[in-house]
């Protein structure tokens, strides 16, 4: 399946298996497109199909203006996800900014009366009700923004940092993504009625701030730690794919 919003790099091999496959909707970190999941998607078993989000301003949608508020982004993403998972067994995964969006998407699905995913997997980000420990980044001048982002996350690849033209193309989208979650204000709602898995890299400072995710879901909570930092999932895609398959299938009926 391929759409403007959701891209599958590895469709399951036959129509019959495609109909039976569990779908994993995966939301990437700030500034990223669906390609961050490309390697891992190709390593999943045949009965799992990963659909990676491609947001406006990212990847092949570079010419579209990026969203700057979570409300408009979730409202636009919601119908694409509903159409992709209608009547299907599915799991939702989000990393960093994607974890924040995954939680908000689940709350929007519930408000609209749609079925929730069988499991929510959040990775590499503090829960949305946890106060930000540092000042907003999206308001900083470009040079300060790059410095702080590199210090906190090692978040801009050197190949982009060292190429001024690439950096100038990349920064507006990245700043818009940070504006999405840095302008968000949490509102109380009942915990989501689903299990939640909390993932993080052992060397990522965000991991120490993730415990509060368990309070946002009424189902069982589990934790999985990986060797590595904030980008553990792309550093070792085979390890990430194996964990994703285990987490997705361990309670499937």
């Amino acid at each position: 399946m391929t759409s403007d919003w959701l891209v599958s790099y590895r469709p399951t091999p036959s129509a019959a298996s495609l109909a039976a496959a569990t779908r994993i909707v995966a939301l990437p970190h700030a500034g990223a497109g669906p390609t961050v999941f490309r390697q891992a998607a190709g390593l999943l078993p045949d009965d799992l199909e990963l659909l990676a989000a491609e947001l406006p301003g990212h990847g092949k949608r570079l010419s579209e203006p990026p969203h700057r508020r979570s409300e408009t982004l979730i409202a636009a993403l919601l119908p694409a996800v509903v159409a992709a998972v209608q009547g299907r067994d599915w799991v939702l995964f989000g990393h960093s900014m994607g974890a924040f969006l995954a939680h908000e998407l689940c709350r929007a699905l519930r408000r609209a009366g749609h079925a929730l995913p069988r499991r929510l997997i959040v990775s590499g980000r503090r829960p949305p009700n946890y106060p930000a420990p540092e000042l907003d980044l999206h308001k900083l001048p470009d040079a300060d923004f790059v410095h702080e982002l590199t210090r906190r996350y090692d978040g801009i690849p050197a190949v982009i940092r060292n190429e001024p033209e690439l950096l100038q193309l990349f920064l507006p989208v990245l700043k818009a993504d940070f504006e999405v979650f840095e302008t968000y204000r949490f509102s109380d709602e009942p915990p989501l009625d689903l299990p939640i898995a909390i993932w993080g890299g052992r060397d990522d400072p965000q991991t120490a701030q993730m415990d509060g995710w368990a309070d946002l879901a009424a189902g069982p909570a589990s934790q999985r730690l990986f060797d590595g930092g904030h980008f553990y999932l792309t550093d070792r895609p085979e390890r990430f794919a194996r964990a994703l398959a285990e987490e997705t299938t361990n309670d499937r009926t």
Side-chain angles (χ1 to χ4, degrees), residues 122-174:
V122 293
S123 167
R125 177 150 186 89
R126 64 182 181 272
N129 59 340
Y130 188 97
E134 299 180 277
L135 295 176
D136 291 347
L137 293 186
H138 76 272
K139 299 176 182 178
L140 295 175
D142 286 355
D144 294 337
F145 178 77
V146 171
H147 173 77
E148 282 298 307
L149 195 64
T150 303
R151 180 181 69 84
R152 293 190 200 181
Y153 305 103
D154 193 20
I156 301 179
V159 67
I160 295 177
R161 289 200 310 270
N162 298 332
E163 290 290 339
E165 290 184 3
L166 273 178
L167 188 61
Q168 288 308 307
L169 192 65
F170 184 64
L171 280 181
V173 175
L174 191 53

Side-chain angles (χ1 to χ4, degrees), residues 4-19:
D4 286 345
W5 286 92
L6 297 170
V7 177
S8 174
Y9 288 112
R10 187 179 179 274
T12 47
S14 69
S17 58
L18 181 63

Side-chain angles (χ1 to χ4, degrees), residues 77-152:
L77 176 61
L78 180 69
V81 172
V82 169
V85 302
Q86 193 72 37
R88 304 293 292 266
D89 180 47
W90 72 292
V91 169
L92 182 58
F93 172 87
H95 178 66
S96 197
M97 173 187 172
F100 158 77
L101 291 177
H103 175 259
E104 289 306 301
L105 178 62
C106 284
R107 301 215 300 182
L109 286 165
R110 181 173 62 184
R111 288 193 296 267
H114 297 295
L116 295 180
R118 177 165 49 79
R119 178 177 295 270
L120 172 62
I121 308 172
V122 293
S123 167
R125 177 150 186 89
R126 64 182 181 272
N129 59 340
Y130 188 97
E134 299 180 277
L135 295 176
D136 291 347
L137 293 186
H138 76 272
K139 299 176 182 178
L140 295 175
D142 286 355
D144 294 337
F145 178 77
V146 171
H147 173 77
E148 282 298 307
L149 195 64
T150 303
R151 180 181 69 84
R152 293 190 200 181

